[in-house]
Amino acid sequence: MWPLAPKVPLLRQHDAGGNASRTGRDALADAGVISPDARLTILRQSAADVGFREIFISIDGTPLGMLRFGDTLVTDLPAGPHSIRAHNTLFWKTHDIVVRPGEHVTFEAINRAGWGTFGMLFVIGAMPVYLTFHRVDRPS
């Protein structure tokens, strides 16, 4: 006969009525295995970046910081829905995300030259710098 498998604790808890509650990452956070907070990292290190004009970052309407070329911003967030906004004073990009406990979310911000950027520099002495702001990691 095969020996009985050891009893493995499940992450899914059931209440007295048999209803499942607090599963997966939530159960791990409740047990203290992982942090109940999530981590957000925003990078500005792309080779496609023109290297000037600051990018300003805010989370849920609260300013977080300013990125110059080569900078990285890292902050902890409570798990749940958040709105992340980046702007370079000319273009604005917003991402609405939901982060789970213990999740690490990474975004990349790039100020890039676009069509007509350098032509406008020669004509009027100023040029638009386009903003690219996208999530680098993929949610699982």
Side-chain angles (χ1 to χ4, degrees), residues 9-27:
L10 298 176
L11 294 179
R12 182 172 297 158
Q13 306 295 322
H14 296 277
D15 61 15
N19 299 318
S21 64
R22 308 298 289 172
T23 61
R25 288 180 177 269
D26 292 332

Side-chain angles (χ1 to χ4, degrees), residues 14-112:
H14 296 277
D15 61 15
N19 299 318
S21 64
R22 308 298 289 172
T23 61
R25 288 180 177 269
D26 292 332
L28 290 173
D30 289 346
V33 175
I34 61 174
S35 169
D37 290 337
R39 176 154 289 177
L40 171 68
T41 301
I42 303 172
L43 309 168
R44 185 174 174 199
Q45 300 172 350
S46 172
D49 197 298
V50 294
F52 56 88
R53 186 176 277 212
E54 294 83 7
I55 297 175
F56 300 90
I57 307 293
S58 64
I59 299 174
D60 301 327
T62 304
L64 176 64
M66 176 184 68
L67 288 170
R68 291 189 174 99
F69 181 71
D71 287 349
T72 300
L73 280 176
V74 179
T75 189
D76 289 331
L77 298 172
H82 295 281
S83 180
I84 303 170
R85 174 171 259 190
H87 73 88
N88 64 6
T89 69
L90 186 59
F91 294 98
W92 298 72
K93 303 285 182 170
T94 303
H95 287 278
D96 293 317
I97 62 170
V98 177
V99 293
R100 298 175 298 188
E103 185 176 14
H104 189 166
V105 179
T106 305
F107 279 85
E108 182 176 43
I110 304 168
N111 270 336
R112 61 179 175 76

